[in-house]
mmCIF file of all heavy atoms in Angstrom:
data_model
loop_
_atom_site.group_PDB
_atom_site.id
_atom_site.type_symbol
_atom_site.label_atom_id
_atom_site.label_comp_id
_atom_site.label_asym_id
_atom_site.label_seq_id
_atom_site.Cartn_x
_atom_site.Cartn_y
_atom_site.Cartn_z
ATOM 1 N N GLU A 1212 0.833 -1.194 -0.007
ATOM 2 C CA GLU A 1212 0.000 0.012 -0.003
ATOM 3 C C GLU A 1212 0.863 1.253 0.006
ATOM 4 O O GLU A 1212 0.506 2.270 -0.614
ATOM 5 C CB GLU A 1212 -0.931 -0.017 1.202
ATOM 6 C CG GLU A 1212 -1.962 1.089 1.182
ATOM 7 C CD GLU A 1212 -2.885 1.006 2.386
ATOM 8 O OE1 GLU A 1212 -3.916 0.305 2.282
ATOM 9 O OE2 GLU A 1212 -2.589 1.663 3.422
ATOM 10 N N GLU A 1213 2.028 1.199 0.686
ATOM 11 C CA GLU A 1213 2.933 2.337 0.719
ATOM 12 C C GLU A 1213 3.397 2.691 -0.677
ATOM 13 O O GLU A 1213 3.411 3.864 -1.080
ATOM 14 C CB GLU A 1213 4.137 1.987 1.609
ATOM 15 C CG GLU A 1213 5.214 3.049 1.641
ATOM 16 C CD GLU A 1213 4.804 4.302 2.403
ATOM 17 O OE1 GLU A 1213 3.805 4.223 3.170
ATOM 18 O OE2 GLU A 1213 5.448 5.357 2.227
ATOM 19 N N ALA A 1214 3.776 1.677 -1.463
ATOM 20 C CA ALA A 1214 4.210 1.932 -2.839
ATOM 21 C C ALA A 1214 3.064 2.473 -3.685
ATOM 22 O O ALA A 1214 3.271 3.346 -4.549
ATOM 23 C CB ALA A 1214 4.754 0.644 -3.444
ATOM 24 N N GLU A 1215 1.866 1.979 -3.441
ATOM 25 C CA GLU A 1215 0.692 2.446 -4.199
ATOM 26 C C GLU A 1215 0.426 3.920 -3.928
ATOM 27 O O GLU A 1215 0.197 4.712 -4.879
ATOM 28 C CB GLU A 1215 -0.541 1.615 -3.836
ATOM 29 C CG GLU A 1215 -1.798 2.067 -4.598
ATOM 30 C CD GLU A 1215 -3.063 1.366 -4.122
ATOM 31 O OE1 GLU A 1215 -3.001 0.587 -3.149
ATOM 32 O OE2 GLU A 1215 -4.132 1.600 -4.736
ATOM 33 N N VAL A 1216 0.462 4.323 -2.656
ATOM 34 C CA VAL A 1216 0.199 5.719 -2.312
ATOM 35 C C VAL A 1216 1.288 6.624 -2.870
ATOM 36 O O VAL A 1216 1.020 7.728 -3.373
ATOM 37 C CB VAL A 1216 0.065 5.871 -0.790
ATOM 38 C CG1 VAL A 1216 -0.072 7.346 -0.408
ATOM 39 C CG2 VAL A 1216 -1.148 5.091 -0.280
ATOM 40 N N THR A 1217 2.544 6.169 -2.812
ATOM 41 C CA THR A 1217 3.654 6.970 -3.360
ATOM 42 C C THR A 1217 3.452 7.217 -4.853
ATOM 43 O O THR A 1217 3.604 8.350 -5.336
ATOM 44 C CB THR A 1217 4.997 6.241 -3.143
ATOM 45 O OG1 THR A 1217 5.234 6.094 -1.725
ATOM 46 C CG2 THR A 1217 6.150 7.017 -3.750
ATOM 47 N N ALA A 1218 3.100 6.174 -5.597
ATOM 48 C CA ALA A 1218 2.867 6.332 -7.036
ATOM 49 C C ALA A 1218 1.654 7.213 -7.316
ATOM 50 O O ALA A 1218 1.648 7.991 -8.281
ATOM 51 C CB ALA A 1218 2.661 4.945 -7.670
ATOM 52 N N LEU A 1219 0.649 7.120 -6.456
ATOM 53 C CA LEU A 1219 -0.566 7.943 -6.634
ATOM 54 C C LEU A 1219 -0.231 9.422 -6.483
ATOM 55 O O LEU A 1219 -0.687 10.254 -7.271
ATOM 56 C CB LEU A 1219 -1.610 7.526 -5.612
ATOM 57 C CG LEU A 1219 -2.921 8.328 -5.592
ATOM 58 C CD1 LEU A 1219 -3.596 8.311 -6.961
ATOM 59 C CD2 LEU A 1219 -3.870 7.767 -4.542
ATOM 60 N N VAL A 1220 0.576 9.754 -5.472
ATOM 61 C CA VAL A 1220 0.975 11.154 -5.281
ATOM 62 C C VAL A 1220 1.759 11.660 -6.496
ATOM 63 O O VAL A 1220 1.549 12.791 -6.970
ATOM 64 C CB VAL A 1220 1.818 11.301 -3.995
ATOM 65 C CG1 VAL A 1220 2.402 12.708 -3.891
ATOM 66 C CG2 VAL A 1220 0.960 10.986 -2.761
ATOM 67 N N GLU A 1221 2.624 10.812 -7.029
ATOM 68 C CA GLU A 1221 3.399 11.205 -8.208
ATOM 69 C C GLU A 1221 2.483 11.439 -9.409
ATOM 70 O O GLU A 1221 2.701 12.363 -10.197
ATOM 71 C CB GLU A 1221 4.438 10.121 -8.532
ATOM 72 C CG GLU A 1221 5.551 10.018 -7.486
ATOM 73 C CD GLU A 1221 6.474 8.836 -7.738
ATOM 74 O OE1 GLU A 1221 6.178 8.040 -8.666
ATOM 75 O OE2 GLU A 1221 7.480 8.713 -7.013
ATOM 76 N N ARG A 1222 1.449 10.607 -9.555
ATOM 77 C CA ARG A 1222 0.519 10.789 -10.667
ATOM 78 C C ARG A 1222 -0.238 12.109 -10.546
ATOM 79 O O ARG A 1222 -0.426 12.824 -11.542
ATOM 80 C CB ARG A 1222 -0.453 9.610 -10.721
ATOM 81 C CG ARG A 1222 -1.517 9.685 -11.832
ATOM 82 C CD ARG A 1222 -0.917 9.892 -13.210
ATOM 83 N NE ARG A 1222 -0.024 8.816 -13.573
ATOM 84 C CZ ARG A 1222 -0.285 7.907 -14.500
ATOM 85 N NH1 ARG A 1222 -1.447 7.917 -15.131
ATOM 86 N NH2 ARG A 1222 0.600 6.984 -14.803
ATOM 87 N N VAL A 1223 -0.674 12.456 -9.339
ATOM 88 C CA VAL A 1223 -1.389 13.704 -9.117
ATOM 89 C C VAL A 1223 -0.477 14.883 -9.443
ATOM 90 O O VAL A 1223 -0.885 15.862 -10.096
ATOM 91 C CB VAL A 1223 -1.903 13.792 -7.668
ATOM 92 C CG1 VAL A 1223 -2.421 15.201 -7.374
ATOM 93 C CG2 VAL A 1223 -2.999 12.765 -7.428
ATOM 94 N N GLN A 1224 0.780 14.827 -9.004
ATOM 95 C CA GLN A 1224 1.732 15.905 -9.289
ATOM 96 C C GLN A 1224 1.972 16.005 -10.793
ATOM 97 O O GLN A 1224 2.134 17.122 -11.334
ATOM 98 C CB GLN A 1224 3.048 15.641 -8.565
ATOM 99 C CG GLN A 1224 2.946 15.793 -7.046
ATOM 100 C CD GLN A 1224 4.209 15.378 -6.332
ATOM 101 O OE1 GLN A 1224 4.869 14.406 -6.713
ATOM 102 N NE2 GLN A 1224 4.561 16.108 -5.276
ATOM 103 N N GLU A 1225 1.981 14.873 -11.480
ATOM 104 C CA GLU A 1225 2.142 14.891 -12.946
ATOM 105 C C GLU A 1225 0.956 15.600 -13.603
ATOM 106 O O GLU A 1225 1.154 16.415 -14.519
ATOM 107 C CB GLU A 1225 2.258 13.448 -13.445
ATOM 108 C CG GLU A 1225 2.420 13.315 -14.939
ATOM 109 C CD GLU A 1225 2.463 11.854 -15.379
ATOM 110 O OE1 GLU A 1225 2.966 11.020 -14.596
ATOM 111 O OE2 GLU A 1225 1.963 11.542 -16.482
ATOM 112 N N TRP A 1226 -0.277 15.295 -13.164
ATOM 113 C CA TRP A 1226 -1.453 15.970 -13.720
ATOM 114 C C TRP A 1226 -1.384 17.473 -13.498
ATOM 115 O O TRP A 1226 -1.656 18.268 -14.400
ATOM 116 C CB TRP A 1226 -2.724 15.397 -13.088
ATOM 117 C CG TRP A 1226 -3.131 14.059 -13.632
ATOM 118 C CD1 TRP A 1226 -2.827 13.539 -14.858
ATOM 119 C CD2 TRP A 1226 -3.913 13.065 -12.954
ATOM 120 N NE1 TRP A 1226 -3.363 12.270 -14.989
ATOM 121 C CE2 TRP A 1226 -4.055 11.967 -13.858
ATOM 122 C CE3 TRP A 1226 -4.524 13.010 -11.703
ATOM 123 C CZ2 TRP A 1226 -4.764 10.828 -13.515
ATOM 124 C CZ3 TRP A 1226 -5.237 11.862 -11.375
ATOM 125 C CH2 TRP A 1226 -5.356 10.778 -12.266
ATOM 126 N N ILE A 1227 -1.030 17.867 -12.286
ATOM 127 C CA ILE A 1227 -0.943 19.298 -11.971
ATOM 128 C C ILE A 1227 0.135 19.949 -12.851
ATOM 129 O O ILE A 1227 -0.052 21.075 -13.352
ATOM 130 C CB ILE A 1227 -0.655 19.493 -10.475
ATOM 131 C CG1 ILE A 1227 -1.853 19.020 -9.656
ATOM 132 C CG2 ILE A 1227 -0.347 20.964 -10.183
ATOM 133 C CD1 ILE A 1227 -1.614 19.052 -8.149
ATOM 134 N N GLY A 1228 1.260 19.237 -13.057
ATOM 135 C CA GLY A 1228 2.323 19.758 -13.898
ATOM 136 C C GLY A 1228 1.896 19.936 -15.335
ATOM 137 O O GLY A 1228 2.476 20.739 -16.083
ATOM 138 N N GLN A 1229 0.862 19.206 -15.756
ATOM 139 C CA GLN A 1229 0.340 19.324 -17.134
ATOM 140 C C GLN A 1229 -0.693 20.436 -17.258
ATOM 141 O O GLN A 1229 -1.280 20.599 -18.324
ATOM 142 C CB GLN A 1229 -0.276 17.994 -17.551
ATOM 143 C CG GLN A 1229 0.759 16.869 -17.690
ATOM 144 C CD GLN A 1229 0.094 15.499 -17.866
ATOM 145 O OE1 GLN A 1229 -1.120 15.350 -17.715
ATOM 146 N NE2 GLN A 1229 0.901 14.489 -18.178
ATOM 147 N N GLY A 1230 -0.931 21.159 -16.174
ATOM 148 C CA GLY A 1230 -1.866 22.288 -16.227
ATOM 149 C C GLY A 1230 -3.251 22.024 -15.683
ATOM 150 O O GLY A 1230 -4.131 22.892 -15.770
ATOM 151 N N VAL A 1231 -3.457 20.840 -15.116
ATOM 152 C CA VAL A 1231 -4.767 20.526 -14.515
ATOM 153 C C VAL A 1231 -4.818 21.143 -13.122
ATOM 154 O O VAL A 1231 -3.921 20.933 -12.323
ATOM 155 C CB VAL A 1231 -4.986 18.997 -14.416
ATOM 156 C CG1 VAL A 1231 -6.359 18.702 -13.837
ATOM 157 C CG2 VAL A 1231 -4.842 18.365 -15.785
ATOM 158 N N ARG A 1232 -5.879 21.897 -12.844
ATOM 159 C CA ARG A 1232 -6.011 22.489 -11.515
ATOM 160 C C ARG A 1232 -6.323 21.411 -10.481
ATOM 161 O O ARG A 1232 -7.043 20.448 -10.778
ATOM 162 C CB ARG A 1232 -7.119 23.556 -11.507
ATOM 163 C CG ARG A 1232 -6.816 24.766 -12.361
ATOM 164 C CD ARG A 1232 -7.788 25.914 -12.057
ATOM 165 N NE ARG A 1232 -9.166 25.527 -12.313
ATOM 166 C CZ ARG A 1232 -9.795 25.687 -13.485
ATOM 167 N NH1 ARG A 1232 -9.129 26.199 -14.516
ATOM 168 N NH2 ARG A 1232 -11.043 25.322 -13.636
ATOM 169 N N PRO A 1233 -5.819 21.569 -9.250
ATOM 170 C CA PRO A 1233 -6.107 20.553 -8.212
ATOM 171 C C PRO A 1233 -7.600 20.290 -8.044
ATOM 172 O O PRO A 1233 -8.012 19.157 -7.815
ATOM 173 C CB PRO A 1233 -5.494 21.176 -6.947
ATOM 174 C CG PRO A 1233 -4.357 22.006 -7.460
ATOM 175 C CD PRO A 1233 -4.842 22.585 -8.764
ATOM 176 N N SER A 1234 -8.437 21.319 -8.167
ATOM 177 C CA SER A 1234 -9.876 21.160 -7.990
ATOM 178 C C SER A 1234 -10.508 20.340 -9.114
ATOM 179 O O SER A 1234 -11.662 19.919 -9.003
ATOM 180 C CB SER A 1234 -10.584 22.512 -7.899
ATOM 181 O OG SER A 1234 -10.352 23.257 -9.087
ATOM 182 N N GLU A 1235 -9.774 20.110 -10.203
ATOM 183 C CA GLU A 1235 -10.253 19.302 -11.327
ATOM 184 C C GLU A 1235 -9.822 17.838 -11.213
ATOM 185 O O GLU A 1235 -10.035 17.063 -12.126
ATOM 186 C CB GLU A 1235 -9.773 19.893 -12.649
ATOM 187 C CG GLU A 1235 -10.289 21.280 -12.933
ATOM 188 C CD GLU A 1235 -9.703 21.890 -14.185
ATOM 189 O OE1 GLU A 1235 -8.470 21.768 -14.389
ATOM 190 O OE2 GLU A 1235 -10.453 22.481 -14.976
ATOM 191 N N ILE A 1236 -9.201 17.495 -10.080
ATOM 192 C CA ILE A 1236 -8.706 16.143 -9.826
ATOM 193 C C ILE A 1236 -9.460 15.550 -8.645
ATOM 194 O O ILE A 1236 -9.704 16.230 -7.660
ATOM 195 C CB ILE A 1236 -7.191 16.159 -9.538
ATOM 196 C CG1 ILE A 1236 -6.419 16.737 -10.722
ATOM 197 C CG2 ILE A 1236 -6.678 14.767 -9.178
ATOM 198 C CD1 ILE A 1236 -4.947 16.991 -10.432
ATOM 199 N N ALA A 1237 -9.816 14.292 -8.744
ATOM 200 C CA ALA A 1237 -10.462 13.602 -7.618
ATOM 201 C C ALA A 1237 -9.774 12.263 -7.362
ATOM 202 O O ALA A 1237 -9.319 11.589 -8.302
ATOM 203 C CB ALA A 1237 -11.935 13.362 -7.902
ATOM 204 N N ILE A 1238 -9.679 11.914 -6.082
ATOM 205 C CA ILE A 1238 -9.162 10.609 -5.672
ATOM 206 C C ILE A 1238 -10.245 9.959 -4.820
ATOM 207 O O ILE A 1238 -10.767 10.575 -3.893
ATOM 208 C CB ILE A 1238 -7.861 10.729 -4.862
ATOM 209 C CG1 ILE A 1238 -6.779 11.393 -5.696
ATOM 210 C CG2 ILE A 1238 -7.404 9.361 -4.373
ATOM 211 C CD1 ILE A 1238 -5.523 11.719 -4.909
ATOM 212 N N CYS A 1239 -10.586 8.713 -5.160
ATOM 213 C CA CYS A 1239 -11.601 8.030 -4.363
ATOM 214 C C CYS A 1239 -11.110 6.646 -3.963
ATOM 215 O O CYS A 1239 -10.316 6.018 -4.670
ATOM 216 C CB CYS A 1239 -12.927 7.950 -5.091
ATOM 217 S SG CYS A 1239 -12.925 6.898 -6.559
ATOM 218 N N THR A 1240 -11.562 6.213 -2.802
ATOM 219 C CA THR A 1240 -11.244 4.877 -2.299
ATOM 220 C C THR A 1240 -12.546 4.273 -1.742
ATOM 221 O O THR A 1240 -13.510 4.989 -1.505
ATOM 222 C CB THR A 1240 -10.211 4.931 -1.170
ATOM 223 O OG1 THR A 1240 -10.745 5.713 -0.075
ATOM 224 C CG2 THR A 1240 -8.920 5.571 -1.663
ATOM 225 N N ARG A 1241 -12.531 2.975 -1.479
ATOM 226 C CA ARG A 1241 -13.717 2.358 -0.915
ATOM 227 C C ARG A 1241 -13.916 2.762 0.553
ATOM 228 O O ARG A 1241 -15.025 2.947 0.997
ATOM 229 C CB ARG A 1241 -13.626 0.830 -1.043
ATOM 230 C CG ARG A 1241 -14.845 0.074 -0.473
ATOM 231 C CD ARG A 1241 -16.087 0.468 -1.259
ATOM 232 N NE ARG A 1241 -17.304 -0.015 -0.637
ATOM 233 C CZ ARG A 1241 -17.887 -1.187 -0.892
ATOM 234 N NH1 ARG A 1241 -17.333 -2.003 -1.751
ATOM 235 N NH2 ARG A 1241 -19.000 -1.534 -0.296
ATOM 236 N N PHE A 1242 -12.787 2.917 1.275
ATOM 237 C CA PHE A 1242 -12.862 3.177 2.709
ATOM 238 C C PHE A 1242 -12.096 4.433 3.091
ATOM 239 O O PHE A 1242 -11.126 4.823 2.429
ATOM 240 C CB PHE A 1242 -12.323 1.985 3.494
ATOM 241 C CG PHE A 1242 -12.961 0.677 3.139
ATOM 242 C CD1 PHE A 1242 -12.223 -0.344 2.538
ATOM 243 C CD2 PHE A 1242 -14.313 0.457 3.375
ATOM 244 C CE1 PHE A 1242 -12.813 -1.530 2.189
ATOM 245 C CE2 PHE A 1242 -14.930 -0.728 3.019
ATOM 246 C CZ PHE A 1242 -14.155 -1.738 2.430
ATOM 247 N N ASN A 1243 -12.509 5.057 4.189
ATOM 248 C CA ASN A 1243 -11.910 6.295 4.640
ATOM 249 C C ASN A 1243 -10.500 6.121 5.184
ATOM 250 O O ASN A 1243 -9.721 7.086 5.188
ATOM 251 C CB ASN A 1243 -12.796 6.945 5.716
ATOM 252 C CG ASN A 1243 -13.953 7.714 5.097
ATOM 253 O OD1 ASN A 1243 -13.751 8.592 4.258
ATOM 254 N ND2 ASN A 1243 -15.171 7.388 5.523
ATOM 255 N N ILE A 1244 -10.152 4.910 5.632
ATOM 256 C CA ILE A 1244 -8.812 4.707 6.203
ATOM 257 C C ILE A 1244 -7.735 4.993 5.159
ATOM 258 O O ILE A 1244 -6.787 5.754 5.397
ATOM 259 C CB ILE A 1244 -8.674 3.267 6.757
ATOM 260 C CG1 ILE A 1244 -9.601 3.086 7.972
ATOM 261 C CG2 ILE A 1244 -7.224 2.981 7.148
ATOM 262 C CD1 ILE A 1244 -9.600 1.674 8.529
ATOM 263 N N LEU A 1245 -7.866 4.367 3.989
ATOM 264 C CA LEU A 1245 -6.903 4.598 2.906
ATOM 265 C C LEU A 1245 -6.985 6.056 2.432
ATOM 266 O O LEU A 1245 -5.945 6.663 2.138
ATOM 267 C CB LEU A 1245 -7.157 3.631 1.758
ATOM 268 C CG LEU A 1245 -6.259 3.813 0.524
ATOM 269 C CD1 LEU A 1245 -4.793 3.719 0.892
ATOM 270 C CD2 LEU A 1245 -6.615 2.785 -0.544
ATOM 271 N N LEU A 1246 -8.168 6.607 2.386
ATOM 272 C CA LEU A 1246 -8.331 7.993 1.949
ATOM 273 C C LEU A 1246 -7.558 8.934 2.868
ATOM 274 O O LEU A 1246 -6.950 9.907 2.415
ATOM 275 C CB LEU A 1246 -9.809 8.362 1.920
ATOM 276 C CG LEU A 1246 -10.209 9.558 1.063
ATOM 277 C CD1 LEU A 1246 -9.895 9.286 -0.415
ATOM 278 C CD2 LEU A 1246 -11.695 9.848 1.217
ATOM 279 N N GLY A 1247 -7.593 8.636 4.177
ATOM 280 C CA GLY A 1247 -6.852 9.461 5.124
ATOM 281 C C GLY A 1247 -5.346 9.394 4.903
ATOM 282 O O GLY A 1247 -4.634 10.406 5.000
ATOM 283 N N ARG A 1248 -4.841 8.199 4.571
ATOM 284 C CA ARG A 1248 -3.399 8.059 4.295
ATOM 285 C C ARG A 1248 -3.002 8.821 3.046
ATOM 286 O O ARG A 1248 -1.953 9.448 2.976
ATOM 287 C CB ARG A 1248 -3.052 6.584 4.162
ATOM 288 C CG ARG A 1248 -3.181 5.824 5.480
ATOM 289 C CD ARG A 1248 -3.082 4.336 5.271
ATOM 290 N NE ARG A 1248 -3.279 3.622 6.532
ATOM 291 C CZ ARG A 1248 -3.605 2.351 6.624
ATOM 292 N NH1 ARG A 1248 -3.780 1.623 5.525
ATOM 293 N NH2 ARG A 1248 -3.782 1.776 7.813
ATOM 294 N N VAL A 1249 -3.867 8.775 2.036
ATOM 295 C CA VAL A 1249 -3.605 9.510 0.800
ATOM 296 C C VAL A 1249 -3.587 11.016 1.075
ATOM 297 O O VAL A 1249 -2.711 11.746 0.599
ATOM 298 C CB VAL A 1249 -4.653 9.176 -0.278
ATOM 299 C CG1 VAL A 1249 -4.532 10.105 -1.473
ATOM 300 C CG2 VAL A 1249 -4.542 7.725 -0.700
ATOM 301 N N ALA A 1250 -4.547 11.477 1.875
ATOM 302 C CA ALA A 1250 -4.616 12.904 2.223
ATOM 303 C C ALA A 1250 -3.347 13.361 2.925
ATOM 304 O O ALA A 1250 -2.804 14.438 2.632
ATOM 305 C CB ALA A 1250 -5.848 13.168 3.090
ATOM 306 N N ALA A 1251 -2.871 12.553 3.857
ATOM 307 C CA ALA A 1251 -1.674 12.923 4.617
ATOM 308 C C ALA A 1251 -0.444 13.011 3.698
ATOM 309 O O ALA A 1251 0.356 13.954 3.795
ATOM 310 C CB ALA A 1251 -1.444 11.911 5.734
ATOM 311 N N ARG A 1252 -0.314 12.057 2.776
ATOM 312 C CA ARG A 1252 0.848 12.066 1.883
ATOM 313 C C ARG A 1252 0.789 13.231 0.897
ATOM 314 O O ARG A 1252 1.818 13.835 0.564
ATOM 315 C CB ARG A 1252 0.915 10.741 1.136
ATOM 316 C CG ARG A 1252 1.332 9.562 1.999
ATOM 317 C CD ARG A 1252 2.805 9.654 2.420
ATOM 318 N NE ARG A 1252 3.662 9.631 1.252
ATOM 319 C CZ ARG A 1252 4.030 8.521 0.633
ATOM 320 N NH1 ARG A 1252 3.646 7.339 1.110
ATOM 321 N NH2 ARG A 1252 4.812 8.562 -0.430
#
């Protein structure tokens, strides 16, 4: 899961680097526990 979250953060940064505004990006998970870890990272 650690590697998954790391790659996810890199993907979001890549989208932002391409000119996508943060508010135009969404991340969803089935449960809030993983969502909290993503938010922290």
